[in-house]
Amino acid sequence: MNLLLVDDEFHVRKKLMQKIDWKTLGIDRLLEAGDGEQGYELAVNEPIDIIISDIRMPRMDGIEMAAKIRELYPDCVILFLSGYSDKEYLRSAISLHALQYIDKPVLPEQVISAVKEAVSYCNNLRNTSFAAKIKEVRLARLLCTPKPDAGQLSCLLEECSLSTLAFSDSRTILIQLLTGDGIPSGLLEKLGELLEHSGLHYLLGDHHDNLIVIHLLSDKEQMVSSLTSSFFKPLFQRVSYLFKNTSYFIAVGQLAENIQEVYQSYQSAVIGLQQNFFLGSNSVSFAGFPESPEYRPDENFRRKLLGSVKQNDPHTCFLLLESLYQSYQLHPAGLISVVRENYYGILSQLFQHCLSHRIAFPSASNQQLWDVISSAKTLRDLHIIAVNLYQSYFDFVKKNQEELSVSGKLRRLIEENYGNPALGLQFLSESLKLSQSYISQLFKQETGTTINQYIITYRIDMASSLLLKSDRKISDIADCCGFTDQNYFTKLFKKCTGMTPSEYRGYLP
């Protein structure tokens, strides 16, 4: 058995070549290359059973090389060496169906384990029935490409003892597993047994790490076009027993009248998986699902939601979140990415509210928040994430009600009355019916500044904005910001900004 090791880092290749007893693993010959182009040249002259390759390399990357070698040796096994930065890049390699992705830095024991699995796979190919199944899987995958290679298609049809007429009345079904662990071992075999027990003729394979593809084919005894929802319902109930605690989507594509339309059936099933997102986990969608207009929340939704937070009104907040969820459910159309972005917006505005009002509710970075949103597999998951976060916020506020309500009300009173010359400790004390010493101590503890300092800073900030955005007289601006003495305003403004109001108005940042 021949193994090709390709990596542009010399020390990585040498480490693996010296630390691993390849003969013991069943490798008769080990070939090495420093990049994809050199690796491909070796494969042209020497049959390859297993490839271990880095992703990013000069001249020709590992993905392009593996794809070209697969054309020479369709049964060769691919093991990719991948760094963290390659994760997005690996999406383009999905059609190659690599057996494993070994994380860098590479440990010899990881490679040994992966090679043992690859050798076992290669040995199984010598088994006639196993090899036949592999060819059927390959054909099932090939039919999910928009323009399959005619020669490859013809060859696989012959090897699978099928003709193009077998697809003259066919339909594609997709089953997407919502876990990130891939398809459990033995699941495809059990699913095949279930389909056979149901009297169905089919092609079955995996298409990506978490997607199962079934092409239902007609025969003399049963036409696919004759199968109704009353047939599929009990079938999918039996399928659900196979998945046990694993969540999934099932999407049934449109009828294909010839082999060229199989891809259209596949595509309609892919669209169905989008609808499953709105329908929820373990749901089934059928091509031709009644179309509905895309739902987009009105412009006031986020404002209303934020208003319920500012008013500490959880009842209204959760009614709004529920209405958003139900509206999306009633309109299972549009891009899932847009739905995610909307939920990202209504969560990020909560964190922004806490930051701007100095509320010590734990915040999240943009990346952390997006990672949480991206982890949601269904609309229901997004809804639960939003409800739980807002519930946590209101619980936090309730737990800290006394301190948060007093300091929050103080800031709100200052912001609403900054133009009142009487605004000060006495005004605030009387408004909240709390002693001046208590509110002074609490405000200093909560914000790190005194009430008088906060009033002055806020008034100067408002005055600065008016100076730049309006042509009102400086005396009018001073008056509307609570300063009855223009000279005092000018002196204080220069102390805070380093410029007089006139100089500031003429300053161009």
Side-chain angles (χ1 to χ4, degrees):
M1 199 171 294
N2 294 346
L3 185 145
L4 174 62
L5 175 62
V6 189
D7 198 304
D8 60 326
E9 295 182 61
F10 177 79
H11 70 279
V12 172
R13 301 200 312 273
K14 290 305 174 187
K15 175 184 176 182
L16 294 178
M17 293 176 70
Q18 295 171 3
K19 295 285 185 181
I20 296 175
D21 185 349
W22 297 97
K23 290 286 185 184
T24 303
L25 294 176
I27 303 302
D28 301 311
R29 187 171 183 197
L30 179 65
L31 298 91
E32 64 166 318
D35 59 47
E37 190 169 309
Q38 185 183 2
Y40 178 68
E41 289 173 356
L42 288 172
V44 169
N45 299 308
E46 194 78 36
I48 301 298
D49 299 294
I50 302 170
I51 303 169
I52 299 179
S53 176
D54 190 16
I55 297 288
R56 299 176 187 268
M57 295 182 292
R59 297 205 298 171
M60 184 188 293
D61 63 51
I63 291 174
E64 183 181 355
M65 178 204 69
K68 294 183 71 173
I69 294 177
R70 264 279 175 82
E71 292 178 2
L72 299 173
Y73 313 109
D75 294 325
C76 72
V77 178
I78 301 170
L79 307 172
F80 278 127
L81 308 178
S82 62
Y84 179 79
S85 61
D86 294 323
K87 298 304 180 186
E88 288 297 319
Y89 190 57
L90 282 172
R91 291 184 179 180
S92 62
I94 215 81
S95 62
L96 293 174
H97 295 274
L99 188 66
Q100 282 198 34
Y101 298 105
I102 303 169
D103 291 329
K104 285 189 170 184
V106 180
L107 299 176
E109 52 266 32
Q110 290 178 305
V111 176
I112 291 171
S113 176
V115 171
K116 283 181 178 179
E117 185 179 350
V119 169
S120 176
Y121 179 89
C122 291
N123 287 331
N124 282 335
L125 283 176
R126 296 168 184 170
N127 180 294
T128 304
S129 60
F130 183 83
K133 286 292 182 184
I134 293 299
K135 289 179 172 62
E136 289 178 6
V137 169
R138 194 171 296 143
L139 176 58
R141 294 172 182 168
L142 186 63
L143 291 168
C144 295
T145 56
K147 294 181 179 179
D149 179 83
Q152 189 178 3
L153 179 59
S154 177
C155 182
L156 283 172
L157 283 171
E158 183 178 351
E159 291 175 339
C160 295
S161 300
L162 290 171
S163 71
T164 56
L165 294 176
F167 299 89
S168 60
D169 188 273
S170 61
R171 191 186 297 270
T172 299
I173 298 175
L174 298 178
I175 304 177
Q176 180 181 1
L177 304 185
L178 301 185
T179 60
D181 303 325
I183 300 171
S185 177
L187 182 60
L188 289 180
E189 290 77 7
K190 292 179 181 178
L191 184 57
E193 291 172 3
L194 190 155
L195 294 171
E196 286 178 10
H197 182 72
S198 301
L200 293 169
H201 189 39
Y202 63 91
L203 270 177
L204 173 66
D206 58 322
H207 190 59
H208 310 339
D209 292 339
N210 66 337
L211 194 63
I212 298 171
V213 57
I214 305 168
H215 299 295
L216 293 184
L217 309 178
S218 295
D219 57 21
K220 294 179 180 179
E221 297 180 1
Q222 186 159 250
M223 300 294 290
V224 172
S225 56
S226 68
L227 303 179
T228 63
S229 57
S230 60
F231 172 87
F232 283 114
K233 185 175 181 180
L235 172 65
F236 292 145
Q237 286 177 342
R238 292 193 293 273
V239 168
S240 68
Y241 297 140
L242 294 180
F243 296 101
K244 296 180 180 178
N245 299 322
T246 302
S247 298
Y248 60 87
F249 292 153
I250 296 179
V252 182
Q254 67 188 39
L255 191 69
E257 296 183 356
N258 52 60
I259 196 167
Q260 288 77 24
E261 292 184 2
V262 172
Y263 178 70
Q264 296 174 22
S265 182
Y266 163 75
Q267 281 291 86
S268 65
V270 170
I271 294 171
L273 292 178
Q274 303 286 306
Q275 295 167 345
N276 286 101
F277 173 85
F278 296 92
L279 299 175
S281 60
N282 302 355
S283 59
V284 179
S285 65
F286 289 83
F289 190 92
E291 293 188 6
S292 62
E294 179 182 356
Y295 172 73
R296 288 182 180 271
D298 63 58
E299 297 178 356
N300 293 323
F301 177 82
R302 290 191 191 181
R303 180 182 58 78
K304 293 176 182 176
L305 189 64
L306 185 58
S308 70
V309 171
K310 290 180 177 179
Q311 295 168 21
N312 195 23
D313 183 2
H315 177 71
T316 299
C317 174
F318 295 127
L319 284 178
L320 286 167
L321 290 175
E322 182 65 25
S323 70
L324 178 68
Y325 169 62
Q326 291 183 3
S327 296
Y328 273 129
Q329 265 199 322
L330 293 172
H331 301 82
L335 296 175
I336 295 174
S337 59
V338 174
V339 179
R340 292 188 191 278
E341 287 168 4
N342 188 41
Y343 272 92
Y344 174 84
I346 66 177
L347 297 185
S348 61
Q349 77 170 7
L350 176 62
F351 288 128
Q352 187 58 45
H353 165 77
C354 294
L355 288 173
S356 61
H357 289 78
R358 299 183 183 180
I359 299 172
F361 182 67
S363 62
S365 68
N366 290 341
Q367 185 58 52
Q368 288 172 327
L369 183 55
W370 184 249
D371 287 344
V372 172
I373 293 296
S374 299
S375 69
K377 304 298 183 183
T378 66
L379 174 64
R380 179 68 179 171
D381 292 342
L382 283 177
H383 176 63
I384 291 172
I385 290 170
V387 168
N388 287 345
L389 182 62
Y390 275 86
Q391 183 65 63
S392 297
Y393 168 79
F394 286 117
D395 289 344
F396 177 85
V397 170
K398 184 177 181 181
K399 183 178 178 181
N400 302 275
Q401 190 66 44
E402 183 179 0
E403 292 185 7
L404 283 175
S405 61
V406 172
S407 59
K409 287 179 181 178
L410 283 170
R411 286 195 297 270
R412 188 160 55 250
L413 280 170
I414 292 169
E415 292 166 8
E416 292 174 352
N417 296 278
Y418 71 92
N420 184 352
L423 176 64
L425 270 176
Q426 183 176 348
F427 175 89
L428 297 170
S429 174
E430 292 174 354
S431 297
L432 296 181
K433 296 180 173 54
L434 295 171
S435 70
Q436 294 185 25
S437 60
Y438 176 73
I439 64 174
S440 295
Q441 181 181 358
L442 182 62
F443 194 87
K444 175 73 172 178
Q445 180 181 347
E446 181 71 21
T447 66
T449 188
T450 67
I451 289 176
N452 284 334
Q453 286 172 334
Y454 188 87
I455 292 172
I456 290 171
T457 300
Y458 193 81
R459 282 172 165 168
I460 294 299
D461 285 345
M462 292 299 101
S464 300
S465 178
L466 289 171
L467 284 166
L468 293 178
K469 295 180 180 179
S470 73
D471 56 0
R472 296 172 63 179
K473 293 180 180 180
I474 292 177
S475 59
D476 289 342
I477 291 175
D479 185 60
C480 79
C481 290
F483 297 100
T484 55
D485 186 334
Q486 184 178 340
N487 290 330
Y488 174 68
F489 166 66
T490 300
K491 181 179 178 181
L492 194 61
F493 191 93
K494 185 172 184 179
K495 181 180 179 181
C496 293
T497 66
M499 290 177 278
T500 66
S502 297
E503 290 170 339
Y504 188 85
R505 172 169 271 174
Y507 172 66
L508 294 176

